Amino acid sequence: MRAKISEDLKAAMKAGDKQRVGTLRLINAAIQSAEIEAKKPIDDAAVLAVMTKMVKQRRDSIEQYTNGGRPDLAAVEQAEIAIIEAYLPKQMDDSAVAAAVAAAIAETGAASVKDMGKVMGVLKAKYAGQMDFQKASAAVKGALG
């Protein structure tokens, strides 16, 4: 994945696509920061986690910019999200998340909200980068509660 990002960065630089170059450099910087924090090279799953976090941060920024009356800055953040999401696996829809939650509950034998950690652990292991775990957490609580 990192090699693809680097190749795309070079291509964007040659094409003069400033928005794409800036976003890809931000991705590389975030990955390097995660590696420094981990004190070793990170695997693709960790890269996906970093990029998912970047998308979440940008969505929060869009909300704040929209509430603050700055649609121009919100548009820049939305463009960055589009570039970052091109590297992420396709996100699961609500029905697929519900099915995955039900399967994880059955797999772990979870019976109450106390078992939520087990279920979330299974979901994170199987569906890293493919689902919004905040929504999945709410679904698990609803199913177990």
Side-chain angles (χ1 to χ4, degrees):
M1 177 168 299
R2 294 189 64 183
K4 171 120 177 75
I5 293 169
S6 295
E7 289 171 21
D8 290 350
L9 176 59
K10 289 175 190 170
M13 290 170 77
K14 288 178 183 175
D17 186 349
K18 291 182 181 180
Q19 174 76 39
R20 191 166 187 78
V21 168
T23 303
L24 292 174
R25 283 183 174 160
L26 286 172
I27 292 170
N28 276 335
I31 292 170
Q32 285 178 336
S33 177
E35 286 181 337
I36 289 170
E37 200 173 296
K39 297 181 181 171
K40 63 180 181 175
I42 59 175
D43 60 358
D44 279 351
V47 170
L48 286 176
V50 167
M51 292 172 63
T52 302
K53 182 178 177 183
M54 291 177 73
V55 168
K56 184 180 183 311
Q57 289 170 337
R58 276 148 187 78
R59 287 206 170 106
D60 292 342
S61 296
I62 287 172
E63 185 179 324
Q64 290 175 0
Y65 289 144
T66 303
N67 293 340
R70 294 296 307 264
D72 54 327
L73 295 176
V76 170
E77 296 289 324
Q78 187 61 48
E80 287 183 3
I81 287 174
I83 293 168
I84 296 168
E85 283 184 337
Y87 297 96
L88 294 174
K90 185 178 180 306
Q91 294 291 302
M92 298 170 75
D93 62 3
D94 290 340
S95 61
V97 169
V101 166
I105 288 172
E107 180 181 326
T108 60
S112 69
V113 179
K114 291 180 182 178
D115 301 323
M116 188 170 165
K118 294 177 191 174
V119 176
M120 291 304 295
V122 168
L123 291 174
K124 286 183 179 181
K126 288 184 179 179
Y127 303 106
Q130 296 177 32
M131 76 169 55
D132 181 349
F133 289 109
Q134 201 168 18
K135 289 180 184 175
S137 176
V140 171
K141 273 185 187 171
L144 294 177

